[in-house]
Amino acid sequence: MSEMQGVLVIGGGIAGMQASLDLADQGFTVYLVERNPSIGGRMAQLDKTFPTLDCASCIMTPKMVDVGRHPNIKMLIYSEITKISRAGKKFKVKVLRKPRYVDETKCIGCGICAQHCPIEIPNEFDEGLGLRKAVYVPFPQAVPLIYTIDKDNCIECGLCEKVCGAEAVDPNQEPEEVELEVGAIIVATGYNLFDSRKKEEYGYGIYDNVITGLELERLLSASGPTGGHVLRPSDGKIPKKVAFLQCVGSRDEKVGNQYCSRVCCMYATKEAELVKEHVPGTETTIFYMDIRAFGKGYEEFYIRAEKEFGIKYVKGRVAEILEDTASKNLLIRAENIESGELIEEEVDMVILCAGLVPALTDEMRKILPLPIDDYGFITTAHPKIDPVSTSLKGVFTAGVAEGPKDIPDTVAQASAAAMKASIVAKG
Amino acid sequence: MPKEEEPRIGVYICHCGINIAATVDVEEVAKYAEKLPNVVVAKHYVYVCSSPGQSMIKDDIEEHKLNRVIVASCSPTMHEPTFRKVVAEAGLNPYLFEMANIREQCSWVHPKEPQKATEKAKDLIKMAVAKSRLLERLQVKEAGVTLRALIIGAGISGMRSALDLADRGFEVHLIEKAPSIGGRMAQLDELYPTSEYALDVLKPIMDAVTSHPKIKLFTNSELEALDGFIGNFKAKIRVKPRYVTNECNACGKCETVCPIEVSNDFDFGLSKRKAVYLPFTVAMPRTYVIDYENCNKCGKCIEVCERGAIDLKEKPMKMEVDVGTIIVATGHDLYEPPKGEYGYKVYDNIITMPQLERLLDENGPTQGQLQFKGSTPKSVVFISCVGSRQEPGIYQPIEKDQQLNRYCSRVCCTATFQNVLSIKKKYPDTRIYYLYRDIRSFGKGHEEYYRKASESGVLFLKYKPEVPPVVSSDQKGLLVTVEDILTNNETIAIPADLVVLNVGMIPRNDASDIQTKLRISRGADGFFQEAHAKLRPLETPLDGIYLAGTTQGPKDITESTIMGSAAAAKAAIPLARGKVEVEPTVASVNEDICKGCGRCEEVCEYGAIKVEETGPFDRVPMLVAKVTEAQCKGCGSCSVVCPNGAITMRHFTKEQIKAMVRAATGG
């Protein structure tokens, strides 16, 4: 057998992490490229996970640490791919390491710089609900635990440089280009949430108390912007009545997304349960089209939510939401398909269970011409029997980049992609 | 280390930036630690895990001749491996390192009570010191790995696992209980969402498995027993007699003359087969098999076989193989409705969806004609969730003690659409009704398929589980009555020529047998249980044994294929490394005290401790418990139940724990 080749993994979410670990454990050198300052991806933003209600960061942090200290995983974090070309059976890859303006080899992640930084801006990790400094780590368990200066918002006051005991701040850091040679590539670029503004009738971005499911995750999280209290953005009060709307941007031809996002029924059920757990007595209603509790233990979870937690399920699509300008309460207009009645219900807060849309960018597809479907998800070689290979030889995909899926399905697909990549890269 | 050597302990208190230091007075804690017995040096530092922090520890080991190190910082999950490595680099045994968690267990949970948090940090360190004084050196052992995988089950997921591991370069033993590989997928007609014919997709995979030089295939074979641990399993396999040798060229003459006809399981009883038969058209291997139980031994097949391939005296063969890793891909069974559920087996013209697949299959009993009992139905009613989503309280088991299947079977909704489209293609005038609870067409391209089926004219009626459809019969035929939610609970009666029950997947009837042999666990739903619902969907609690396909829960072909490759990835890791590390922090038996009572063996979930005969002493064989260290997880269950105190958990000895308790309670 000739020499084992390296493998490039694009995306450091749970799919990219799992694929990296499985390859690295076999002995392959893995280059894990992530454009954000930390690995962890979307899963790191979640509070608890269905159907076991395991806290997401509790089960994920050890995995992130495993990735961070694996001798065979070379992490290229806060980096972007700029070029991929074929060289025989191998790929030549150029990666741009964006300047953090903090020396990775010196920063010990103590956080003193952030303490002194005078700039506060909305934190992307908290979906903009909390604040972070201009020098920051996205979340406390970040891997690598290295601070990054956000030059767009930095006023160059120099305080961080002065207080850093490790002398790690380097305002003159330049981007660095790294060249790699690999035998296989795994694309695990994940997803963004559907932009709920496109469903104008629901008032997201217009009404204060209409938020997305991911925003609610941050509110539910003990390490989130409200310390784990579900509070209305308009007045900071605890909502007594909360409504969840399913299929926002999914199963909706009007917005061009016919597909089901697979996770929303379950995350809404979980979030409704958690809202009730935080404040017993909260009324929660889920407006749905079909309840799709198909995974292992999911149906049982859904039935328990309805029967034991008293979460109300109403079959019907919400037609529109109106805001009471004084109270900022929301009036929901919907049809209850089961009873045939028209519903007008006033609630304190509305959660839009926005679907998943691919995060794969056009720029990335210019670098690597991956075939995609009508929605932008990566098309695989055969939908039944070759569900991780792409039509580009040596290039595989895993996770939501290929199509919406939950965490166990993502983890399994990541391992599958790792297997396929190992066959190609074994030399 | 010689026992008389005095412990010399270094204690390092981490600020973790501000994570600990903002709450806990680290300086005070360091001063306190310095005065504890055997502590030679105690320091606090902003980030002990950083490279200067690590150097500080190494320098102190050298300078102060430390033989124990304690770091008081975060959770051991986070940095125990880091610091074990640090002390090892300085020449200490890594198990002489101890950690006190003063972040997760102290500063993070008591941010508003700094004084009390500081006192708690002191206590935690005092306990760590008490344990540290009694620590012993331990060695990580290595065990070799047999570079071969065993895969149980040659359905779509097991075949995928086998091909991937073989393509990766590893030898694979693939065993299949049935006379042919192919599994459940071979019984399907067309596949969603591409409408390809199942056997067209399956056949190339079966061919690849059969011809791969790295795959040794054993059909008609079962796992009889398993022993050993990751990297070093011994599997006993029983190859059942086929009564037809490899000389068979599948000419089929034997079948023609065989006088016996029995119900054909492959067609779910919709056709008959002979006692000598080929399981299905493209069965692999292409060797006939004799159903010995039903064979009357008339010998006609022997007479006509020109190649002398029939051997009614063939005996079962047993073999033992060494394998490094194992994939369980034993698949599922289909729910068989009890008599009377939706009129099943009470009225004619009620079939299950798998039976419908056989009727629609060109190679099936009706050559693809939708004919049942001689006529082509003009009106077909599908009923969803038969044997799936059975809610307790609403759903009454028809037979007592019948287990309720609470889960969704994942595939039935979209499979219905496939069958609707197939029927409509062949018989455009057929009226089709789908009585459902929720449409669960969640997979890639499935929603689009749902729309295609809707546009083909199928009528959807949604029922509540509390008021399920009722199937009755009058002179004209079947009548299905349903309270339809979509028309405001109007009761609708549908005359039906054929009722199709969408039966779900259930655990295989041999699941408990496999469970016993492999010592893997099953969930409340009866399917094999993965190690963690979210992040370890392929692993079992037993190292080296992995799950693929519907053996773990209902899945479609895409998902089973993914899981097949994914399980292969897990199974490949020990094979690629060629060795496994054996943690020393496991149970150890004092054979002088052990009475061989076996209670430890009963409670061990990992099969790691077994009572064995030893001795003899005074010509009487003695019984003692023996630990297979590579299998032991160090959970301590055996140590707890041992009535004689014969079992010690290394690195968590009773003396060490008692010392910690005494330190904590001031005793």
PDB file of all heavy atoms in Angstrom, chain B residues 208-235:
ATOM      1  N   ALA B 208     -21.090  -7.287  -6.765  1.00  0.00           N
ATOM      2  CA  ALA B 208     -19.817  -6.767  -6.250  1.00  0.00           C
ATOM      3  C   ALA B 208     -19.421  -7.505  -4.966  1.00  0.00           C
ATOM      4  O   ALA B 208     -18.253  -7.850  -4.775  1.00  0.00           O
ATOM      5  CB  ALA B 208     -19.933  -5.269  -5.991  1.00  0.00           C
ATOM      6  N   VAL B 209     -20.403  -7.755  -4.110  1.00  0.00           N
ATOM      7  CA  VAL B 209     -20.128  -8.465  -2.860  1.00  0.00           C
ATOM      8  C   VAL B 209     -19.626  -9.876  -3.161  1.00  0.00           C
ATOM      9  O   VAL B 209     -18.652 -10.353  -2.584  1.00  0.00           O
ATOM     10  CB  VAL B 209     -21.398  -8.519  -1.977  1.00  0.00           C
ATOM     11  CG1 VAL B 209     -21.255  -9.537  -0.861  1.00  0.00           C
ATOM     12  CG2 VAL B 209     -21.709  -7.150  -1.411  1.00  0.00           C
ATOM     13  N   THR B 210     -20.293 -10.546  -4.102  1.00  0.00           N
ATOM     14  CA  THR B 210     -19.951 -11.931  -4.413  1.00  0.00           C
ATOM     15  C   THR B 210     -18.565 -12.051  -5.039  1.00  0.00           C
ATOM     16  O   THR B 210     -17.860 -13.026  -4.811  1.00  0.00           O
ATOM     17  CB  THR B 210     -21.004 -12.522  -5.371  1.00  0.00           C
ATOM     18  OG1 THR B 210     -22.281 -12.029  -4.989  1.00  0.00           O
ATOM     19  CG2 THR B 210     -21.030 -14.027  -5.307  1.00  0.00           C
ATOM     20  N   SER B 211     -18.185 -11.043  -5.801  1.00  0.00           N
ATOM     21  CA  SER B 211     -16.924 -11.196  -6.546  1.00  0.00           C
ATOM     22  C   SER B 211     -15.742 -10.502  -5.870  1.00  0.00           C
ATOM     23  O   SER B 211     -14.618 -10.605  -6.353  1.00  0.00           O
ATOM     24  CB  SER B 211     -17.097 -10.657  -7.971  1.00  0.00           C
ATOM     25  OG  SER B 211     -17.431  -9.285  -7.910  1.00  0.00           O
ATOM     26  N   HIS B 212     -15.967  -9.803  -4.764  1.00  0.00           N
ATOM     27  CA  HIS B 212     -14.851  -9.052  -4.170  1.00  0.00           C
ATOM     28  C   HIS B 212     -13.837 -10.012  -3.536  1.00  0.00           C
ATOM     29  O   HIS B 212     -14.193 -10.850  -2.716  1.00  0.00           O
ATOM     30  CB  HIS B 212     -15.375  -8.093  -3.102  1.00  0.00           C
ATOM     31  CG  HIS B 212     -14.452  -6.948  -2.857  1.00  0.00           C
ATOM     32  ND1 HIS B 212     -13.183  -7.102  -2.352  1.00  0.00           N
ATOM     33  CD2 HIS B 212     -14.601  -5.621  -3.075  1.00  0.00           C
ATOM     34  CE1 HIS B 212     -12.600  -5.917  -2.258  1.00  0.00           C
ATOM     35  NE2 HIS B 212     -13.441  -4.997  -2.692  1.00  0.00           N
ATOM     36  N   PRO B 213     -12.559  -9.875  -3.939  1.00  0.00           N
ATOM     37  CA  PRO B 213     -11.571 -10.823  -3.414  1.00  0.00           C
ATOM     38  C   PRO B 213     -11.375 -10.741  -1.895  1.00  0.00           C
ATOM     39  O   PRO B 213     -10.911 -11.700  -1.284  1.00  0.00           O
ATOM     40  CB  PRO B 213     -10.281 -10.427  -4.136  1.00  0.00           C
ATOM     41  CG  PRO B 213     -10.508  -9.057  -4.668  1.00  0.00           C
ATOM     42  CD  PRO B 213     -11.981  -8.936  -4.898  1.00  0.00           C
ATOM     43  N   LYS B 214     -11.726  -9.627  -1.303  1.00  0.00           N
ATOM     44  CA  LYS B 214     -11.513  -9.478   0.146  1.00  0.00           C
ATOM     45  C   LYS B 214     -12.721  -9.941   0.968  1.00  0.00           C
ATOM     46  O   LYS B 214     -12.662  -9.938   2.198  1.00  0.00           O
ATOM     47  CB  LYS B 214     -11.239  -8.003   0.477  1.00  0.00           C
ATOM     48  CG  LYS B 214      -9.929  -7.474  -0.068  1.00  0.00           C
ATOM     49  CD  LYS B 214      -8.862  -7.575   0.978  1.00  0.00           C
ATOM     50  CE  LYS B 214      -7.540  -7.023   0.447  1.00  0.00           C
ATOM     51  NZ  LYS B 214      -6.437  -7.415   1.312  1.00  0.00           N
ATOM     52  N   ILE B 215     -13.831 -10.246   0.305  1.00  0.00           N
ATOM     53  CA  ILE B 215     -15.035 -10.627   1.052  1.00  0.00           C
ATOM     54  C   ILE B 215     -15.236 -12.138   0.982  1.00  0.00           C
ATOM     55  O   ILE B 215     -15.313 -12.716  -0.106  1.00  0.00           O
ATOM     56  CB  ILE B 215     -16.295  -9.915   0.499  1.00  0.00           C
ATOM     57  CG1 ILE B 215     -16.145  -8.395   0.623  1.00  0.00           C
ATOM     58  CG2 ILE B 215     -17.558 -10.373   1.250  1.00  0.00           C
ATOM     59  CD1 ILE B 215     -17.272  -7.593   0.014  1.00  0.00           C
ATOM     60  N   LYS B 216     -15.311 -12.762   2.161  1.00  0.00           N
ATOM     61  CA  LYS B 216     -15.664 -14.175   2.220  1.00  0.00           C
ATOM     62  C   LYS B 216     -17.117 -14.247   2.638  1.00  0.00           C
ATOM     63  O   LYS B 216     -17.488 -13.783   3.720  1.00  0.00           O
ATOM     64  CB  LYS B 216     -14.796 -14.903   3.245  1.00  0.00           C
ATOM     65  CG  LYS B 216     -13.450 -15.295   2.706  1.00  0.00           C
ATOM     66  CD  LYS B 216     -12.972 -16.591   3.384  1.00  0.00           C
ATOM     67  CE  LYS B 216     -11.657 -17.061   2.791  1.00  0.00           C
ATOM     68  NZ  LYS B 216     -10.506 -16.632   3.585  1.00  0.00           N
ATOM     69  N   LEU B 217     -17.928 -14.809   1.764  1.00  0.00           N
ATOM     70  CA  LEU B 217     -19.367 -14.802   1.996  1.00  0.00           C
ATOM     71  C   LEU B 217     -19.841 -16.163   2.480  1.00  0.00           C
ATOM     72  O   LEU B 217     -19.460 -17.194   1.920  1.00  0.00           O
ATOM     73  CB  LEU B 217     -20.049 -14.429   0.670  1.00  0.00           C
ATOM     74  CG  LEU B 217     -21.565 -14.431   0.640  1.00  0.00           C
ATOM     75  CD1 LEU B 217     -22.129 -13.372   1.576  1.00  0.00           C
ATOM     76  CD2 LEU B 217     -22.044 -14.177  -0.789  1.00  0.00           C
ATOM     77  N   PHE B 218     -20.619 -16.171   3.531  1.00  0.00           N
ATOM     78  CA  PHE B 218     -21.222 -17.410   4.023  1.00  0.00           C
ATOM     79  C   PHE B 218     -22.731 -17.211   4.113  1.00  0.00           C
ATOM     80  O   PHE B 218     -23.212 -16.522   5.013  1.00  0.00           O
ATOM     81  CB  PHE B 218     -20.666 -17.765   5.411  1.00  0.00           C
ATOM     82  CG  PHE B 218     -19.178 -17.944   5.429  1.00  0.00           C
ATOM     83  CD1 PHE B 218     -18.336 -16.879   5.722  1.00  0.00           C
ATOM     84  CD2 PHE B 218     -18.626 -19.185   5.146  1.00  0.00           C
ATOM     85  CE1 PHE B 218     -16.965 -17.045   5.725  1.00  0.00           C
ATOM     86  CE2 PHE B 218     -17.239 -19.356   5.154  1.00  0.00           C
ATOM     87  CZ  PHE B 218     -16.406 -18.285   5.439  1.00  0.00           C
ATOM     88  N   THR B 219     -23.460 -17.766   3.168  1.00  0.00           N
ATOM     89  CA  THR B 219     -24.915 -17.681   3.257  1.00  0.00           C
ATOM     90  C   THR B 219     -25.413 -18.894   4.044  1.00  0.00           C
ATOM     91  O   THR B 219     -24.650 -19.821   4.322  1.00  0.00           O
ATOM     92  CB  THR B 219     -25.558 -17.682   1.862  1.00  0.00           C
ATOM     93  OG1 THR B 219     -25.027 -18.757   1.116  1.00  0.00           O
ATOM     94  CG2 THR B 219     -25.303 -16.378   1.141  1.00  0.00           C
ATOM     95  N   ASN B 220     -26.711 -18.860   4.391  1.00  0.00           N
ATOM     96  CA  ASN B 220     -27.295 -19.961   5.151  1.00  0.00           C
ATOM     97  C   ASN B 220     -26.519 -20.174   6.453  1.00  0.00           C
ATOM     98  O   ASN B 220     -26.401 -21.290   6.931  1.00  0.00           O
ATOM     99  CB  ASN B 220     -27.247 -21.247   4.295  1.00  0.00           C
ATOM    100  CG  ASN B 220     -28.599 -21.913   4.212  1.00  0.00           C
ATOM    101  OD1 ASN B 220     -29.612 -21.287   4.523  1.00  0.00           O
ATOM    102  ND2 ASN B 220     -28.636 -23.168   3.818  1.00  0.00           N
ATOM    103  N   SER B 221     -25.996 -19.093   7.003  1.00  0.00           N
ATOM    104  CA  SER B 221     -25.072 -19.202   8.136  1.00  0.00           C
ATOM    105  C   SER B 221     -25.510 -18.321   9.288  1.00  0.00           C
ATOM    106  O   SER B 221     -26.097 -17.264   9.083  1.00  0.00           O
ATOM    107  CB  SER B 221     -23.665 -18.782   7.719  1.00  0.00           C
ATOM    108  OG  SER B 221     -23.229 -19.557   6.639  1.00  0.00           O
ATOM    109  N   GLU B 222     -25.177 -18.768  10.473  1.00  0.00           N
ATOM    110  CA  GLU B 222     -25.567 -18.018  11.662  1.00  0.00           C
ATOM    111  C   GLU B 222     -24.407 -17.913  12.635  1.00  0.00           C
ATOM    112  O   GLU B 222     -23.572 -18.812  12.711  1.00  0.00           O
ATOM    113  CB  GLU B 222     -26.692 -18.748  12.394  1.00  0.00           C
ATOM    114  CG  GLU B 222     -28.039 -18.603  11.755  1.00  0.00           C
ATOM    115  CD  GLU B 222     -29.074 -19.401  12.530  1.00  0.00           C
ATOM    116  OE1 GLU B 222     -29.545 -18.884  13.546  1.00  0.00           O
ATOM    117  OE2 GLU B 222     -29.388 -20.524  12.112  1.00  0.00           O
ATOM    118  N   LEU B 223     -24.436 -16.846  13.414  1.00  0.00           N
ATOM    119  CA  LEU B 223     -23.480 -16.721  14.501  1.00  0.00           C
ATOM    120  C   LEU B 223     -23.961 -17.618  15.632  1.00  0.00           C
ATOM    121  O   LEU B 223     -25.103 -17.547  16.057  1.00  0.00           O
ATOM    122  CB  LEU B 223     -23.411 -15.274  14.987  1.00  0.00           C
ATOM    123  CG  LEU B 223     -22.447 -15.022  16.144  1.00  0.00           C
ATOM    124  CD1 LEU B 223     -21.003 -15.045  15.662  1.00  0.00           C
ATOM    125  CD2 LEU B 223     -22.749 -13.718  16.846  1.00  0.00           C
ATOM    126  N   GLU B 224     -23.052 -18.464  16.108  1.00  0.00           N
ATOM    127  CA  GLU B 224     -23.461 -19.370  17.165  1.00  0.00           C
ATOM    128  C   GLU B 224     -23.006 -18.863  18.543  1.00  0.00           C
ATOM    129  O   GLU B 224     -23.748 -18.939  19.509  1.00  0.00           O
ATOM    130  CB  GLU B 224     -22.892 -20.761  16.911  1.00  0.00           C
ATOM    131  CG  GLU B 224     -23.727 -21.843  17.544  1.00  0.00           C
ATOM    132  CD  GLU B 224     -23.406 -23.201  16.938  1.00  0.00           C
ATOM    133  OE1 GLU B 224     -22.259 -23.656  17.059  1.00  0.00           O
ATOM    134  OE2 GLU B 224     -24.305 -23.762  16.309  1.00  0.00           O
ATOM    135  N   ALA B 225     -21.815 -18.323  18.575  1.00  0.00           N
ATOM    136  CA  ALA B 225     -21.308 -17.802  19.848  1.00  0.00           C
ATOM    137  C   ALA B 225     -20.213 -16.792  19.560  1.00  0.00           C
ATOM    138  O   ALA B 225     -19.580 -16.819  18.505  1.00  0.00           O
ATOM    139  CB  ALA B 225     -20.742 -18.940  20.696  1.00  0.00           C
ATOM    140  N   LEU B 226     -20.031 -15.888  20.514  1.00  0.00           N
ATOM    141  CA  LEU B 226     -18.974 -14.899  20.367  1.00  0.00           C
ATOM    142  C   LEU B 226     -18.229 -14.766  21.681  1.00  0.00           C
ATOM    143  O   LEU B 226     -18.823 -14.711  22.748  1.00  0.00           O
ATOM    144  CB  LEU B 226     -19.552 -13.535  19.972  1.00  0.00           C
ATOM    145  CG  LEU B 226     -18.485 -12.476  19.708  1.00  0.00           C
ATOM    146  CD1 LEU B 226     -17.848 -12.681  18.350  1.00  0.00           C
ATOM    147  CD2 LEU B 226     -19.069 -11.072  19.806  1.00  0.00           C
ATOM    148  N   ASP B 227     -16.933 -14.693  21.548  1.00  0.00           N
ATOM    149  CA  ASP B 227     -16.088 -14.546  22.725  1.00  0.00           C
ATOM    150  C   ASP B 227     -15.032 -13.492  22.397  1.00  0.00           C
ATOM    151  O   ASP B 227     -14.801 -13.187  21.233  1.00  0.00           O
ATOM    152  CB  ASP B 227     -15.426 -15.903  23.015  1.00  0.00           C
ATOM    153  CG  ASP B 227     -15.142 -16.047  24.507  1.00  0.00           C
ATOM    154  OD1 ASP B 227     -15.444 -15.106  25.249  1.00  0.00           O
ATOM    155  OD2 ASP B 227     -14.634 -17.114  24.902  1.00  0.00           O
ATOM    156  N   GLY B 228     -14.400 -12.962  23.427  1.00  0.00           N
ATOM    157  CA  GLY B 228     -13.297 -12.045  23.187  1.00  0.00           C
ATOM    158  C   GLY B 228     -13.695 -10.590  23.312  1.00  0.00           C
ATOM    159  O   GLY B 228     -14.753 -10.266  23.852  1.00  0.00           O
ATOM    160  N   PHE B 229     -12.845  -9.730  22.810  1.00  0.00           N
ATOM    161  CA  PHE B 229     -13.033  -8.291  22.979  1.00  0.00           C
ATOM    162  C   PHE B 229     -12.502  -7.584  21.750  1.00  0.00           C
ATOM    163  O   PHE B 229     -11.938  -8.235  20.856  1.00  0.00           O
ATOM    164  CB  PHE B 229     -12.329  -7.815  24.253  1.00  0.00           C
ATOM    165  CG  PHE B 229     -10.871  -8.200  24.313  1.00  0.00           C
ATOM    166  CD1 PHE B 229      -9.904  -7.350  23.816  1.00  0.00           C
ATOM    167  CD2 PHE B 229     -10.478  -9.431  24.850  1.00  0.00           C
ATOM    168  CE1 PHE B 229      -8.564  -7.706  23.852  1.00  0.00           C
ATOM    169  CE2 PHE B 229      -9.142  -9.792  24.882  1.00  0.00           C
ATOM    170  CZ  PHE B 229      -8.178  -8.923  24.393  1.00  0.00           C
ATOM    171  N   ILE B 230     -12.667  -6.272  21.728  1.00  0.00           N
ATOM    172  CA  ILE B 230     -12.273  -5.486  20.552  1.00  0.00           C
ATOM    173  C   ILE B 230     -10.868  -5.870  20.068  1.00  0.00           C
ATOM    174  O   ILE B 230      -9.939  -5.970  20.861  1.00  0.00           O
ATOM    175  CB  ILE B 230     -12.366  -3.967  20.830  1.00  0.00           C
ATOM    176  CG1 ILE B 230     -11.959  -3.165  19.572  1.00  0.00           C
ATOM    177  CG2 ILE B 230     -11.525  -3.545  22.022  1.00  0.00           C
ATOM    178  CD1 ILE B 230     -12.251  -1.690  19.640  1.00  0.00           C
ATOM    179  N   GLY B 231     -10.793  -6.092  18.785  1.00  0.00           N
ATOM    180  CA  GLY B 231      -9.513  -6.475  18.196  1.00  0.00           C
ATOM    181  C   GLY B 231      -9.259  -7.963  18.223  1.00  0.00           C
ATOM    182  O   GLY B 231      -8.506  -8.493  17.417  1.00  0.00           O
ATOM    183  N   ASN B 232      -9.926  -8.644  19.156  1.00  0.00           N
ATOM    184  CA  ASN B 232      -9.627 -10.064  19.369  1.00  0.00           C
ATOM    185  C   ASN B 232     -10.884 -10.883  19.657  1.00  0.00           C
ATOM    186  O   ASN B 232     -10.989 -11.538  20.681  1.00  0.00           O
ATOM    187  CB  ASN B 232      -8.650 -10.204  20.538  1.00  0.00           C
ATOM    188  CG  ASN B 232      -7.346  -9.490  20.255  1.00  0.00           C
ATOM    189  OD1 ASN B 232      -6.462 -10.044  19.624  1.00  0.00           O
ATOM    190  ND2 ASN B 232      -7.255  -8.253  20.686  1.00  0.00           N
ATOM    191  N   PHE B 233     -11.845 -10.790  18.745  1.00  0.00           N
ATOM    192  CA  PHE B 233     -13.054 -11.597  18.921  1.00  0.00           C
ATOM    193  C   PHE B 233     -12.845 -12.972  18.305  1.00  0.00           C
ATOM    194  O   PHE B 233     -12.118 -13.124  17.317  1.00  0.00           O
ATOM    195  CB  PHE B 233     -14.251 -10.945  18.224  1.00  0.00           C
ATOM    196  CG  PHE B 233     -14.701  -9.658  18.855  1.00  0.00           C
ATOM    197  CD1 PHE B 233     -14.448  -8.439  18.230  1.00  0.00           C
ATOM    198  CD2 PHE B 233     -15.401  -9.655  20.050  1.00  0.00           C
ATOM    199  CE1 PHE B 233     -14.878  -7.250  18.793  1.00  0.00           C
ATOM    200  CE2 PHE B 233     -15.844  -8.467  20.617  1.00  0.00           C
ATOM    201  CZ  PHE B 233     -15.576  -7.260  19.985  1.00  0.00           C
ATOM    202  N   LYS B 234     -13.524 -13.956  18.902  1.00  0.00           N
ATOM    203  CA  LYS B 234     -13.594 -15.282  18.296  1.00  0.00           C
ATOM    204  C   LYS B 234     -15.061 -15.566  18.033  1.00  0.00           C
ATOM    205  O   LYS B 234     -15.872 -15.580  18.960  1.00  0.00           O
ATOM    206  CB  LYS B 234     -13.044 -16.331  19.258  1.00  0.00           C
ATOM    207  CG  LYS B 234     -11.532 -16.448  19.181  1.00  0.00           C
ATOM    208  CD  LYS B 234     -11.049 -17.647  19.973  1.00  0.00           C
ATOM    209  CE  LYS B 234      -9.533 -17.611  20.149  1.00  0.00           C
ATOM    210  NZ  LYS B 234      -8.772 -17.448  18.906  1.00  0.00           N
ATOM    211  N   ALA B 235     -15.403 -15.752  16.779  1.00  0.00           N
ATOM    212  CA  ALA B 235     -16.802 -15.978  16.425  1.00  0.00           C
ATOM    213  C   ALA B 235     -16.976 -17.416  15.966  1.00  0.00           C
ATOM    214  O   ALA B 235     -16.214 -17.910  15.136  1.00  0.00           O
ATOM    215  CB  ALA B 235     -17.217 -15.022  15.317  1.00  0.00           C
TER     216      ALA B 235
END
